[in-house]
């Protein structure tokens, strides 16, 4: 679970429930778009109208934490912020809870520091820190600039996320940044899923290609979206009930071919030094699926010669292809951090089928 930053010093008031008959008020500035996936411009606009505004973010569906530098002294600021969040969360209705907290930093500063830190940490090859590609962010959450390092990510350095985080902090400190305004964590998977902040809270099933959705509220699965493009989406997922079982998934909708053809082309195009073996065809709910063992290709002598990380980090055993009707989804067991316990093929198979249930077709 992601911990709150030390600068959030308790609650300024009890959670606020949306009134059933709000008073007539002046028109809202920075009109919110409930369908917007990125609201940084709107939050920056709010900073121009709300003194001491420190940002707000969703803790979960219809649960909001908002920050003011001095929430005790400005009823007008609290009222405007509350009205804005209500307008941005219309799907929540009476379920909306707004918790206005004491903030240490205003949003404008956090946004500027986040942009500057992001450029420093992930800039050009001459200036960025080693393994900068492992970082996700910056995000303004809980009145802090937050960077995530995914320990299950195939981009994570073999030295582990702690070393990358230490190097990032050292780089920021050397350039005069206030480290109290930043949070670094290697646990992006939590009850407060990143998806709430990427895509909003109106629907816990995020549409990636109508009618296909990826759901973030499956009880046993934790999901993080890594990247998206006009032709597909990439993410990682793992089982809450099996913390050693994690998976990379790719959903592509630009290849109108059969599962068998797609699987053969996928391995050929990836040229990863693995071959498909022992196909098993089955139905995953309403979706036809094929699961394969991954075995080293005969011509491949070592993972290093294949251009892949060493066997202590990345030894995939299984790959699963699913025809969703709105795109073909590919699941592979993800790289394992050094020292992680090994899982059996049966456990990996079972976990992959559980993780694949994040897919939904909305009729």
């Amino acid at each position: 679970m992601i911990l709150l930053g030390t600068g959030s010093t308790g609650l300024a008031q009890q959670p606020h429930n949306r009134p059933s008959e709000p008073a007539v008020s002046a028109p809202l500035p920075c009109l919110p778009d409930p369908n917007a996936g990125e609201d940084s411009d709107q939050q920056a606009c709010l900073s121009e109208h709300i003194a001491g505004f420190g940002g707000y973010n969703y803790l979960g569906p219809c649960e909001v934490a908002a920050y003011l530098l001095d929430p005790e002294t400005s009823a007008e600021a609290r009222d405007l912020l509350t009205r804005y969040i209500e307008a941005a969360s219309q799907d929540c209705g009476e379920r909306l809870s707004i918790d206005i907290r004491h903030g240490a930093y205003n949003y404008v500063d956090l946004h500027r520091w986040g942009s500057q830190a992001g450029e420093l940490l992930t800039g050009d090859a001459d200036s960025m820190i080693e393994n900068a590609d492992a970082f996700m962010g910056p995000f303004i959450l809980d009145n802090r600039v937050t960077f995530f390092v995914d320990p299950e990510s195939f981009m994570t350095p073999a030295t582990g996320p702690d070393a990358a985080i230490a190097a990032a902090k050292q780089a920021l400190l050397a350039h005069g940044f206030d480290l109290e305004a930043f949070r670094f964590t290697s646990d992006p998977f939590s009850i407060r899923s990143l998806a709430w902040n990427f895509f909003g809270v109106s629907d816990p099933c995020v549409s990636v290609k109508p009618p296909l959705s990826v759901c973030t509220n499956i009880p046993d699965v934790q999901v993080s979206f890594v990247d998206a493009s006009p032709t597909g989406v990439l993410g990682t997922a793992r089982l809450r009930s099996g913390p050693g079982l994690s998976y990379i998934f790719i959903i592509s909708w630009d290849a109108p071919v059969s599962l068998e053809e797609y699987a053969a082309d996928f391995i050929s195009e990836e040229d990863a030094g693995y071959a498909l073996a022992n196909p098993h065809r089955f139905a995953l709910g309403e979706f036809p699926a094929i699961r394969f063992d991954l075995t080293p290709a005969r011509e491949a002598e070592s993972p290093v010669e294949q251009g892949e990380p060493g066997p202590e980090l990345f030894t995939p055993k299984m790959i699963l292809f699913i025809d969703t009707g709105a795109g073909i989804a590919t699941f592979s067991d993800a790289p394992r951090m050094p020292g992680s316990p090994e899982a059996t093929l049966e456990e990996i198979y079972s976990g992959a089928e559980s993780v694949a249930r994040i897919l939904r077709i909305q009729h």
Side-chain angles (χ1 to χ4, degrees):
M1 185 171 183
I2 301 173
L3 300 178
L4 290 175
T6 56
S8 299
T9 55
L11 309 184
Q13 64 182 49
Q14 294 299 314
H16 165 82
N17 291 321
R18 185 182 181 185
S20 56
E21 295 183 1
V24 176
S25 303
L28 283 171
C30 318
L31 288 176
D33 179 1
N35 298 315
E38 172 58 58
D39 65 351
S40 60
D41 290 341
Q42 291 171 329
Q43 293 214 37
C45 175
L46 284 179
S47 299
E48 301 175 2
H49 298 273
I50 301 176
F53 174 65
Y56 76 87
N57 52 267
Y58 291 95
L59 304 177
C62 301
E63 181 184 358
V64 177
Y67 294 87
L68 294 173
L69 296 185
D70 195 354
E72 298 277 351
T73 61
S74 178
E76 182 179 355
R78 292 197 306 271
D79 176 68
L80 180 56
L81 181 55
T82 297
R83 289 174 52 222
Y84 179 87
I85 295 172
E86 289 173 349
S89 312
Q90 295 180 10
D91 291 341
C92 291
E94 298 292 337
R95 296 178 294 117
L96 178 63
S97 175
I98 304 173
D99 184 5
I100 298 182
R101 303 178 177 183
H102 181 274
Y105 305 96
N106 67 56
Y107 187 88
V108 171
D109 287 339
L110 291 174
H111 191 270
R112 184 178 72 255
W113 295 338
S115 297
Q116 293 170 344
E119 183 176 351
L120 171 65
L121 299 181
T122 62
D124 58 54
D126 294 330
S127 63
M128 69 182 183
I129 67 168
E130 186 179 3
N131 302 311
D133 286 342
F135 286 95
M136 299 170 61
F139 307 104
I140 300 178
L141 301 173
D142 301 325
N143 197 230
R144 293 295 187 275
V145 177
T146 300
F147 286 90
F148 294 104
V149 181
D150 181 359
E152 302 290 349
S153 171
F154 54 85
M155 296 179 291
T156 301
T159 53
D162 292 343
I165 291 173
K169 288 183 176 179
Q170 184 177 2
L172 293 182
L173 192 61
H175 284 77
F177 286 93
D178 176 9
L179 290 187
E180 290 296 320
F182 290 81
R183 185 198 301 118
F184 292 85
T185 176
S186 59
D187 184 14
F189 303 108
S190 71
I191 295 174
R192 292 176 54 237
S193 167
L194 283 180
W196 296 127
N197 297 289
F198 285 161
F199 300 106
V201 300
S202 61
D203 192 339
C205 291
V206 180
S207 178
V208 295
K209 177 72 172 180
L212 180 65
S213 297
V214 173
C215 299
T216 62
N217 64 339
I218 304 301
D220 293 332
V221 180
Q222 298 169 314
V223 180
S224 176
F225 294 91
V226 176
D227 195 10
S229 74
T231 59
V233 65
L234 168 68
T236 60
R238 69 180 183 186
L239 295 181
R240 292 192 178 99
S241 56
L245 296 177
S246 56
Y247 304 86
I248 298 169
F249 65 84
I250 302 171
I251 306 172
S252 175
W253 36 79
D254 63 348
V257 295
S258 68
L259 278 179
E260 290 82 356
E261 292 171 320
Y262 185 86
D265 289 343
F266 183 89
I267 293 297
S268 174
E269 291 174 4
E270 290 293 303
D271 194 24
Y274 297 97
L276 300 177
N278 305 322
H280 174 61
R281 293 171 177 79
F282 64 103
L284 186 67
E286 61 186 294
F287 305 140
I290 306 177
R291 188 179 62 213
F292 295 88
D293 292 341
L294 285 176
T295 60
R298 293 179 181 177
E299 64 273 12
E301 297 181 4
S302 72
V304 174
E305 293 178 4
Q306 301 162 17
E308 295 293 332
E312 74 283 356
L313 180 62
F314 192 7
T315 53
K317 298 179 178 179
M318 177 278 312
I319 193 164
L320 170 66
F321 300 97
I322 306 170
D323 186 352
T324 69
I328 293 179
T330 304
F331 288 82
S332 176
D333 53 311
R336 313 182 72 75
M337 293 302 295
S340 297
E342 282 296 317
T344 66
L345 265 178
E346 289 73 17
E347 289 172 326
I348 291 174
Y349 285 161
S350 176
E353 292 181 23
S354 296
V355 167
R357 298 183 191 283
I358 64 177
L359 300 175
R360 291 289 184 273
I361 290 288
Q362 295 183 338
H363 297 290

